[in-house]
Amino acid sequence: MQKILYFDCMSGISGDMTIGALLDLGIDQQVFLNKLKGINITGYQIGITKKLVNGISGTDFDVILEHHHHHEHNGHSHHHPHRNLDDINKIIEDCQIDNKTKQIARDIFSKIAVAEAKVHGKTVDKIHFHEVGAIDSIIDILGTAICISILKPDKIYSSPLHLGSGTVKCAHGVIPVPAPATVEILKDVPIYSTGVKGELVTPTGAAIIKSLVDEFIQLPAMTLEKTGYGTGKKQYDIPNLLRVFLGTDNSNETNLSNKLIALETNIDDMNPETYSYLIPLLLEKGALDAYLTNVIMKKGRPGVMLNVLCQPENIEMMENILFTQTTTLGIRKTTVNRHCLERRPVMIKTELGEIQAKAAYKDGKLLKIAPEYEECRKLAEEKQIPIKDIYNMVITGSVKPTVK
């Protein structure tokens, strides 16, 4: 089973909220802090506390700097050296953390550098990080990479990103929200806004999610194990929380029970030879099933009811085939629920050798064997044996254990 991590970014995302949400999943804080000590930076302390936001308990992660300069994910008021990408990469390289964690951090910073260079009309080597070069942002990014290395998810997904609106102060002065660098980072990422005033997605948050995520989708099929909440530092018209889900992929199981579309039409004025062409065509184009039923239509005329079962995404193609290849003027369409056994191709040991078939399983237990007609037909012709005898050999044979 693959481990899935899903980011629900309905309130946006920032670096500190990301670490808070991941820690809230139950990561051992001492293990996390010990790994964080491997970062060769001084002048800060870490605060990890529980906090209520709109009655929801989450974890607040805070980088507390010397001289009482506190971390704010919507802008930084403290002073710090303006580091470039080489400076950042040197810090990462000097960290006492594993190479995979370092690579995650490098990828995140690289995305920010490329975006900043594009926005300011410079080359990457000439870019000096301001807010993102600060100690707290460096810790946010490296801390996120450490959390991911602890959780070790197989797949990471995210919802579309909710952007804020208005303006925000930064080292360059007042800029629009979302910040130009944020917009640049989020190219090819699904985004939306409901007009909430404030910077919901920071450049750091944008780079983190863009680097980590395999795909931006709605909540995938999964068996949920844990939920975590990371709290933000400001108040908006919506709860300032980043929610994450951790679970295992159950898409194979879900696919055994799903919704399909049944298309149905009655025909009484078409050459019946057409069906010999039509049914194979529908199956070739993705129909899960296609069959005919004799019916008596109005005025006592004999006719044929044509039924097609397909996935929702294939409706348009199936309807187009029916309208162009038959005489029908209308199609009935209904949604049906299907539940089926898990099916796997297998090789069956018989006295005639190995024969391909389908095996049906429920909860991992073999229930039945379904012979493949074409395989059995060819063997029957080759051996001059009745096809029913070949079927019996397959059904009573043994599944080759090396094939799953």
Side-chain angles (χ1 to χ4, degrees):
M1 284 283 193
Q2 287 195 321
K3 185 187 292 186
I4 291 179
L5 181 64
Y6 182 79
F7 287 86
D8 179 8
C9 301
M10 66 175 182
S11 299
I13 182 171
S14 63
D16 55 336
M17 292 171 72
T18 302
I19 295 180
L22 296 176
L23 291 175
D24 206 54
L25 288 173
I27 289 176
D28 188 314
Q29 289 187 14
Q30 198 54 54
V31 171
F32 169 75
L33 291 172
N34 286 340
K35 288 180 177 290
L36 210 57
K37 289 177 183 177
I39 301 173
N40 190 24
I41 296 181
T42 59
Y44 72 94
Q45 294 181 359
I46 297 298
I48 301 174
T49 57
K50 283 290 186 179
K51 180 179 173 183
L52 282 178
V53 175
N54 289 42
I56 300 172
S57 175
T59 295
D60 181 74
F61 178 80
D62 203 12
V63 180
I64 306 165
L65 304 176
E66 291 177 350
H67 311 301
H68 308 288
H69 292 309
H70 294 274
H71 177 68
E72 292 185 11
H73 80 262
N74 288 330
H76 305 283
S77 59
H78 51 271
H79 300 288
H80 52 78
H82 291 169
R83 299 179 171 94
N84 60 28
L85 188 58
D86 285 342
D87 297 327
I88 297 293
N89 283 333
K90 180 68 166 59
I91 291 173
I92 295 172
E93 192 56 41
D94 290 343
C95 290
Q96 300 301 308
I97 54 178
D98 64 88
N99 289 331
K100 188 172 182 180
T101 305
K102 289 180 182 180
Q103 188 56 50
I104 293 172
R106 277 193 291 263
D107 288 345
I108 295 171
F109 274 111
S110 177
K111 281 183 170 52
I112 298 173
V114 171
E116 292 281 3
K118 178 72 178 296
V119 168
H120 298 299
K122 298 181 179 180
T123 57
V124 171
D125 59 304
K126 298 295 183 183
I127 283 295
H128 284 80
F129 294 112
H130 297 283
E131 283 78 9
V132 181
I135 290 175
D136 42 5
S137 292
I138 293 172
I139 296 300
D140 283 348
I141 291 172
L142 282 162
T144 295
I146 288 171
C147 287
I148 294 298
S149 69
I150 293 172
L151 289 171
K152 293 182 175 61
D154 297 300
K155 290 288 185 181
I156 301 178
Y157 300 108
S158 172
S159 68
L161 300 186
H162 185 190
L163 306 182
S165 64
T167 59
V168 65
K169 275 188 178 181
C170 73
H172 298 284
V174 177
I175 59 174
V177 171
T182 300
V183 174
E184 190 64 32
I185 292 167
L186 295 181
K187 281 185 176 177
D188 301 319
V189 172
I191 59 175
Y192 68 98
S193 176
T194 60
V196 174
K197 296 294 183 183
E199 187 181 30
L200 301 186
V201 178
T202 65
T204 301
I208 285 172
I209 204 73
K210 181 74 175 286
S211 296
L212 295 181
V213 167
D214 295 296
E215 192 176 356
F216 290 86
I217 57 175
Q218 297 301 323
L219 187 65
M222 63 190 296
T223 300
L224 185 61
E225 295 175 357
K226 297 176 182 178
T227 308
Y229 292 88
T231 62
K233 302 295 186 289
K234 293 195 172 184
Q235 290 187 341
Y236 302 118
D237 294 337
I238 57 176
N240 194 7
L241 291 165
L242 173 65
R243 181 165 59 173
V244 291
F245 298 90
L246 186 67
T248 53
D249 181 3
N250 68 0
S251 57
N252 287 337
E253 178 182 326
T254 303
N255 286 338
L256 301 180
S257 182
N258 53 11
K259 292 187 183 298
L260 301 174
I261 303 299
L263 303 176
E264 181 182 275
T265 184
N266 293 350
I267 302 172
D268 66 357
D269 58 349
M270 190 171 79
N271 183 342
E273 292 178 344
T274 304
Y275 295 115
S276 298
Y277 169 77
L278 177 64
I279 299 299
L281 176 64
L282 289 166
L283 295 173
E284 177 189 335
K285 295 298 182 181
L288 300 173
D289 198 3
Y291 58 93
L292 307 172
T293 305
N294 290 325
V295 294
I296 300 299
M297 299 176 61
K298 59 185 178 181
K299 299 182 180 179
R301 291 193 295 239
V304 171
M305 181 191 297
L306 171 60
N307 289 83
V308 181
L309 192 65
C310 68
Q311 299 284 359
E313 59 266 27
N314 289 335
I315 294 175
E316 187 176 351
M317 182 187 297
M318 294 298 116
E319 288 184 336
N320 184 57
I321 291 173
L322 295 182
F323 281 130
T324 57
Q325 299 289 343
T326 76
T327 58
T328 187
L329 301 177
I331 301 168
R332 297 180 292 277
K333 181 167 53 181
T334 56
T335 300
V336 296
N337 292 317
R338 177 182 73 162
H339 187 78
C340 59
L341 297 173
E342 179 187 358
R343 287 165 284 188
R344 305 177 195 167
V346 294
M347 298 303 292
I348 304 297
K349 291 181 178 179
T350 74
E351 59 190 79
L352 296 179
E354 293 181 354
I355 302 175
Q356 186 175 338
K358 285 195 294 282
Y361 294 82
K362 181 174 175 58
D363 300 326
K365 182 181 178 181
L366 178 64
L367 289 188
K368 59 187 75 173
I369 297 293
E372 293 282 8
Y373 166 74
E374 286 297 332
E375 289 283 320
C376 295
R377 180 189 64 78
K378 290 176 183 177
L379 197 57
E381 291 177 353
E382 177 188 334
K383 302 294 184 180
Q384 293 296 298
I385 298 175
I387 193 170
K388 64 181 181 63
D389 292 344
I390 305 293
Y391 266 56
N392 287 334
M393 289 181 191
V394 173
I395 293 170
T396 57
S398 58
V399 178
K400 187 178 179 181
T402 55
V403 179
K404 295 184 179 180

